[in-house]
Amino acid sequence: MGSVVMAVVNNYNPATFNTMQAATFGRPGMIVGGSVRVPGDKSITHRLLMLAAMARGTSHVRRPLTSLDARSTARVLRQLGASVSTLRADGSVTITGRGRLRQPSARLNCGNAGTTARLLVGLLAAHRFTTELTGDASLRRRPMRRVTQPLSLMGARTDPPEADALPFAIRGGPLAPLRWDLPVSSAQIKTCLLFAGLAGGVGVSLHEPQGRSRDHTERLLRSMGYTVAERRGRVEFEPDGRVVPFEADVPADPSSAAFLMGAALLADKGELVLPAVGINPTRVGFFSVLERMGAALGLQDLAESWGEPSGTVIVRPGALTATEVVASEIPSLVDEVPMLAVLASRAEGVTAFRDVGELRVKESDRLTLLARNIRAVGGNAEVQGDDLLVEGSQRPPRGRVVTQGDHRIAMAFSVLGTVGGARVVVDDPDCANVSFPGFAATLRSIRR
Ligand code: S3P
């Protein structure tokens, strides 16, 4: 990561601008402007709510995400005996936990949220009762053996054994320590197992194969006073004591910011300011990719809370050129591939995303859907093995986009619809509410 903004992210130096000429594709596009605080970080909100539910006493989480996914976590935690106040974007959510979870009286429905389901089973693995979990049609298609297999090695049982799809039941109990090599780099698997170690009071040592996934859990646990070591490419956690109540702030979600940054980059003129965006280096791999593509990004007002750095991101429109996104970068930008692929469809040249097979098991088969939708609006994209190749074009995008209810597909192509001369119809724009409440209104609000 040798880029200007990544140097700031990593070294906390003053921001530098890399100014490029505005893109002029098709008829005039939008003039972008304003300052927008994007919603709270989804990954951090899920984790903080669950950690607070495990504490005995009352915790406060400020500026949480209030989206459908966050509400799924709040809802299932209430069913498990925690008291969780209504999620309010500008306020603070209050969570009172009992030190342990309680057996729910009904099945837990995790909605569309893979993070809710996978993290929760880690906690449930250490609880001596049976819980049934399910989710919506998209979540029921997503692979679960990646968490149920290591959890069964620790001593938890699922029905069916090592279940690979929701719905399934999990019965927890006393756990054994775990040394495990993850089959894919995944923060959901890693956090599930760290949470099992935390709730069960047993050590966990984990290795990720293709590069480091987001490390929010490690940072949050350290901020709570636990020791989480990183040795020889392994994350090692020896839990020491129970979770105590806390107060924490949630930064704005860089993955949500990415869509507005994309809109600003594709605009004709102006400047967009996004305050308090999380800039954890394991999340913002897309900053380096954007800079390689020629994007003008700035970063200022750096701050840190609970081990999580944040800053004000400033974006100006810019002509983009193709790049290659290599496999080791993918874990740090896995949720940004839809926006980056759409930007690549407006960049000069062919952009390659290497080894993005994991996109097949996200909220939709994003790999297939991205290529199909880019073609549907007149662009050129194809899947070759596990690679996604996107050729840039200056033609105004026109056509109908199928989201299959995938929030990030909906937002990426809604952004494409802002370029000059575009006529892009997104079949289900409201599914953005999974992670970004009010996305369409926010996108309209930055148009000048
Ligand atoms: C998440 C991890 C990522 C990401 C998801 C949120 C998390 O999934 O795609 O949106 O909060 O841990 P994987 O860990 O499966 O890559």
Side-chain angles (χ1 to χ4, degrees):
M1 289 187 179
S3 70
V4 175
V5 164
M6 287 312 291
V8 177
V9 168
N10 290 319
N11 302 320
Y12 292 84
N13 286 327
T16 322
F17 261 110
N18 150 13
T19 314
M20 300 287 295
Q21 282 191 333
T24 49
F25 298 120
R27 278 184 273 129
M30 74 172 179
I31 299 174
V32 68
S35 171
V36 178
R37 172 139 185 160
V38 300
D41 189 283
K42 182 157 80 68
S43 294
I44 297 176
T45 300
H46 285 303
R47 285 157 173 75
L48 286 172
L49 293 179
M50 289 191 198
L51 288 166
M54 289 297 293
R56 190 190 300 276
T58 299
S59 299
H60 301 278
V61 174
R62 277 184 294 273
R63 288 187 178 271
L65 178 64
T66 60
S67 73
L68 294 178
D69 268 11
R71 284 198 254 152
S72 289
T73 287
R75 182 180 63 246
V76 298
L77 290 175
R78 290 186 194 108
Q79 285 182 266
L80 288 161
S83 125
V84 184
S85 67
T86 307
L87 300 182
R88 287 202 183 81
D90 293 334
S92 168
V93 55
T94 301
I95 308 102
T96 305
R98 303 166 188 275
R100 305 288 293 166
L101 303 176
R102 286 201 178 160
Q103 180 159 24
S105 55
R107 185 144 104 159
L108 306 181
N109 189 337
C110 302
N112 191 250
T115 313
T116 307
R118 295 197 178 114
L119 270 51
L120 200 61
V121 291
L123 294 178
L124 292 170
H127 288 78
R128 205 188 294 254
F129 53 74
T130 302
T131 312
E132 276 185 68
L133 295 119
T134 192
D136 70 6
S138 150
L139 185 53
R140 290 200 304 271
R141 278 195 300 269
R142 298 182 68 184
M144 291 292 159
R145 185 165 297 125
R146 48 180 66 193
V147 291
T148 58
Q149 184 187 20
L151 289 176
S152 61
L153 289 175
M154 295 177 85
R157 292 285 161 262
T158 62
D159 181 15
E162 294 190 8
D164 198 24
L166 291 171
F168 65 77
I170 179 162
R171 179 164 183 84
L175 297 181
L178 178 76
R179 185 180 168 85
W180 186 247
D181 290 355
L182 277 59
V184 285
S185 295
S186 158
Q188 292 183 352
I189 309 179
K190 181 172 63 175
T191 303
C192 166
L193 300 173
L194 291 172
F195 275 10
L198 176 72
V202 292
V204 171
S205 166
L206 306 171
H207 176 264
E208 296 189 277
Q210 299 104 337
R212 190 152 171 227
S213 65
R214 61 192 70 188
D215 66 353
H216 301 304
T217 308
E218 295 92 307
R219 287 172 186 246
L220 295 177
L221 288 172
R222 285 190 197 112
S223 298
M224 296 176 140
Y226 294 100
T227 305
V228 185
E230 274 154 51
R231 269 187 227 112
R232 289 181 295 276
R234 305 194 72 84
V235 174
E236 316 219 312
F237 176 41
E238 286 293 335
D240 175 17
R242 315 294 308 172
V243 184
V244 292
F246 57 84
E247 292 191 12
D249 288 293
V250 180
D253 195 320
S255 299
S256 296
F259 296 106
L260 300 182
M261 291 170 70
L265 287 167
L266 292 178
D268 279 0
K269 278 198 244 170
E271 180 179 280
L272 183 65
V273 177
L274 303 168
V277 176
I279 53 168
N280 177 326
T282 61
R283 283 293 292 284
V284 293
F286 71 101
F287 283 12
S288 328
V289 173
L290 290 178
E291 287 196 323
R292 289 209 300 273
M293 295 176 84
L297 306 180
L299 191 56
Q300 61 190 36
D301 306 330
L302 300 174
E304 183 165 331
S305 171
W306 272 64
E308 290 288 349
S310 61
T312 296
V313 175
I314 302 159
V315 198
R316 294 175 186 163
L320 301 174
T321 50
T323 188
E324 179 176 14
V325 184
V326 297
S328 59
E329 291 180 290
I330 301 301
S332 69
L333 51 75
V334 65
D335 290 340
E336 285 64 69
V337 177
M339 188 66 257
L340 290 173
V342 161
L343 290 174
S345 78
R346 308 298 298 165
E348 192 186 329
V350 177
T351 296
F353 297 87
R354 302 289 179 205
D355 217 355
V356 281
E358 261 305 282
L359 295 194
R360 292 199 172 91
V361 292
K362 292 294 181 189
E363 286 83 330
S364 67
D365 173 353
R366 279 186 188 157
L367 195 49
T368 307
L369 215 48
L370 276 171
R372 204 211 286 174
N373 282 322
I374 289 171
R375 289 196 300 266
V377 295
N380 193 9
E382 63 180 72
V383 178
Q384 281 183 5
D386 281 344
D387 294 349
L388 173 66
L389 304 179
V390 182
E391 187 179 13
S393 152
Q394 304 197 1
R395 278 192 303 275
R398 291 185 181 174
R400 187 180 159 80
V401 168
V402 175
T403 61
Q404 291 182 359
D406 185 327
H407 54 135
R408 299 199 200 279
I409 298 283
M411 289 188 277
F413 284 90
S414 299
V415 166
L416 187 61
T418 64
V419 309
R423 236 183 283 134
V424 175
V425 178
V426 175
D427 68 356
D428 180 13
D430 289 347
C431 67
N433 287 323
V434 158
S435 63
F436 195 144
F439 174 72
T442 303
L443 189 58
R444 277 195 300 276
S445 77
I446 63 171
R447 185 185 279 275
R448 291 291 172 270

